[in-house]
Each structure stands twice: as C-alpha cells, then as structure tokens.
Amino acid sequence: MAHTTLGYGLISVGWMGRVHSRGISQVSERYPELGVSIRKVIAADTLADARSYATELMGFESATDDYHQVINHPDVDVVSICSPNFMHHEIAMAAIKAGKDFWIEKPMGRNEVIDAVRQCETSGLRAIPLYAKRKIGGYTVETVVEVTCGPKY
C-alpha cells in the first residue's frame, strides 16, 4: 500500500481546534491500514497566544492570524474549521473555492449546510459537517457524510 502524507490546516486554536488536532494526529496510529500520516502545516487564530500555542506545543510548522492563509496554503490538503459558528459558512465556502476538503463540528444553519453540501457534490470535495443526530432538511448526519465523502486520497 502506498503511503500518503496529508497536509493539515487548523482554523481556530481554541478548545475544539485542539480536540480536532489531537484527533487527526492519531490517524496513522489508530488506522494504520489507511497508509496515511498527517503533517501539521499551519494554524490560524486571531489571538497571538493561541498562535504561539499552535507552533510551540501542538507541532504546527507555522501560524497566522488570517484563515485565508490556511485555506490557500499549497501544502494543506484538509482543513478543520473550528471558528465561532457565525463564521462557518463563510470559511466553508472559501475552502470549497480553494479546493480543500474540510471538517466542521459545530452547527451551521440549515440552508448553509445544504449549500455547502451541494457545492461539495459538484466540486468532488469532501466535507464532514458533524451533528448529534440532527436532521437538516432532508439530510441526516449520515447522509451528509455519505454524500460528501468519497475516496480521494
């Protein structure tokens, strides 16, 4: 099996961002059959202390105060969007435009999720908007993940 290294970008280094980062760091250990390792490329946060935390303690190569630099970084393949809820749609749409797969774990509005899912379907990207068995229009979390996730790497 060929081994793949995925470049990882994190948007917002708060509590949830740290959870996402720890989780993705364990992919190669927990799922060795995938043949995937993670490279922590860049993290974004508006707080200087959080940026320092990302590089000094979390292992990111660099940090910025502008989430666009994460999304547009050429070495980033997948992005965790852990920003405040009201920014999720804006950042998700920017990630789609940049051709980046992404993971959001806090709720966006119903129409915003459906918009993001449709954009991912037409672009061939994967988005993982996770909800606790929440129904969004005609989608449940299971169908959202199934519709937007496919073999890419």
Side-chain angles (χ1 to χ4, degrees), residues 45-63:
D45 203 287
T46 56
L47 301 174
D49 287 346
R51 293 191 301 273
S52 294
Y53 188 91
T55 56
E56 295 169 16
L57 297 172
M58 295 173 69
F60 282 90
E61 296 170 10
S62 62

Side-chain angles (χ1 to χ4, degrees), residues 8-10 12-14 17-18 21 40-45 47-65 69-70 73:
Y8 174 62
L10 174 64
S12 194
V13 185
R18 294 172 190 187
S21 180
K40 292 182 178 179
V41 177
I42 185 170
D45 203 287
L47 301 174
D49 287 346
R51 293 191 301 273
S52 294
Y53 188 91
T55 56
E56 295 169 16
L57 297 172
M58 295 173 69
F60 282 90
E61 296 170 10
S62 62
T64 179
D65 64 354
Q69 289 183 26
V70 173
H73 196 292

Side-chain angles (χ1 to χ4, degrees), residues 94-110:
I96 292 166
K97 184 176 179 182
K100 306 293 178 166
D101 294 333
F102 61 92
W103 175 15
I104 296 177
E105 196 169 345
K106 294 189 288 187
M108 290 194 295
R110 173 182 177 265

